[in-house]
Amino acid sequence: PLDPAYPAGRLEHLVRDAAPKVIVSATGLDLPDTDVPVHRIDTLGPELATHPDTPPTPDIRPDHPAYVLYTSGSTGKPKGAVNTHEALTNRLLWMRDHLDLRPEDRVLHKTPIGFDVSVWELTWAFIAGARVVMAAPDGHRDPGYLIRTMADSAVTVTHFVPSMLRVFLDFLEEADGTGDTRPTALRSVVCSGEELPSALAERCHRTLPDTELHNLYGPTEAAIDVTAHHVTDIPASGRVPIGRPITGTQVHVLDGVQRVVPVG
């Protein structure tokens, strides 16, 4: 994905590095200068009308790439991470079971498409017959809008990076009792992308006592997440664990020089 909000230099790097065969876009979106053919989906009506109605039969195997997402570039230039259909399916099926996703659930999609959380926000609900509630562009930046959207659409599951969860709770606590609608249907909050501070986790439980809190961890290269922890209380260490490996995943604990740490 090429996020229109990205700086021109980052978009140019992504197109040059990924070397795509074609770019699918829409009229009015700015794209970097490129020789790659661009198809504007809002102008393809007449051309699509000439194609047959029968669906294609793609030859896709589990080990074929499903998507490429680029890292943030915090350790250098952004690097493209390829994930397969098999890895993504494993991740989605695990999350369906771990959070007990049901047809009556409504999952909020608000993460920009350049981040891997958006992959499960867009696709996870469909394997359980649930619904996706689409936030407006840039809606993820406005906690007041998110609260209203969650309440109006009866959102049951949402994701926050911890820094945005803090802002969300700030707004929710300030608005409480002033007539603003609360997201009463919300049953699960998923956190990832940053370390979840213990004080923030405790505050989330106080402010949303009927909502589960799950702390997930994983790099872009490993199909979104590799470990998970259902946060019910804070351990004596005072730090929220990143949890145990998800289904189909192994985790190895290494010391400072990359040696495997023995059990115990």
Side-chain angles (χ1 to χ4, degrees):
L2 300 174
D3 191 332
Y6 280 167
R10 181 177 173 94
L11 291 176
E12 289 170 1
H13 169 71
L14 298 188
V15 172
R16 184 172 59 252
D17 186 68
K21 301 289 186 183
V22 65
I23 294 175
V24 180
S25 185
T27 302
L29 293 181
D30 292 330
L31 291 171
D33 291 334
T34 177
D35 294 330
V36 178
V38 177
H39 290 310
R40 308 280 182 178
I41 56 175
D42 51 329
T43 65
L44 290 177
E47 180 181 340
L48 292 176
T50 66
H51 288 263
D53 293 334
T54 52
T57 53
D59 179 22
I60 296 177
R61 298 194 308 270
D63 60 340
H64 279 165
Y67 63 86
V68 177
L69 282 176
Y70 276 74
T71 60
S72 63
S74 57
T75 57
K77 282 190 174 182
K79 293 176 281 293
V82 182
N83 275 298
T84 64
H85 290 276
E86 182 178 37
L88 177 59
T89 300
N90 178 76
R91 168 63 175 72
L92 296 177
L93 291 174
W94 163 82
M95 194 174 189
R96 180 197 63 185
D97 298 337
H98 184 69
L99 267 69
D100 189 24
L101 190 69
R102 308 160 193 162
E104 59 267 27
D105 278 313
R106 299 184 179 202
V107 180
L108 181 63
H109 166 60
K110 63 180 180 62
T111 301
I113 59 171
F115 295 93
D116 56 4
V117 167
S118 67
V119 177
W120 71 253
E121 284 182 343
L122 280 168
T123 59
W124 175 50
F126 301 132
I127 63 174
R131 298 185 184 185
V132 176
V133 176
M134 304 287 288
D138 286 331
H140 66 289
R141 304 179 189 273
D142 183 346
Y145 164 80
L146 291 178
I147 291 172
R148 292 190 299 273
T149 300
M150 290 179 187
D152 293 345
S153 300
V155 167
T156 60
V157 183
T158 190
H159 172 273
F160 285 108
V161 293
S163 54
M164 188 58 191
L165 176 62
R166 181 177 290 106
V167 175
F168 177 79
L169 294 177
D170 286 344
F171 198 96
L172 195 59
E173 290 165 0
E174 290 172 6
D176 198 24
T178 64
D180 280 40
T181 307
R182 289 179 64 85
T184 54
L186 190 62
R187 70 176 182 88
S188 293
V189 168
V190 179
C191 270
S192 67
E194 302 166 356
E195 182 176 359
L196 176 61
S198 58
L200 182 60
E202 292 173 334
R203 185 179 168 203
C204 186
H205 285 313
R206 289 196 306 270
T207 307
L208 297 168
D210 299 322
T211 302
E212 293 182 349
L213 179 62
H214 297 264
N215 188 38
L216 276 55
Y217 165 79
T220 302
E221 293 87 343
I224 312 173
D225 297 297
V226 292
T227 66
H229 176 68
H230 181 189
V231 185
T232 55
D233 51 28
I234 307 302
S237 67
R239 301 188 72 178
V240 179
I242 63 171
R244 296 179 176 274
I246 71 170
T247 303
T249 301
Q250 289 184 320
V251 173
H252 303 277
V253 181
L254 309 181
D255 64 16
V257 292
Q258 307 298 298
R259 294 175 302 193
V260 177
V261 177
V263 174

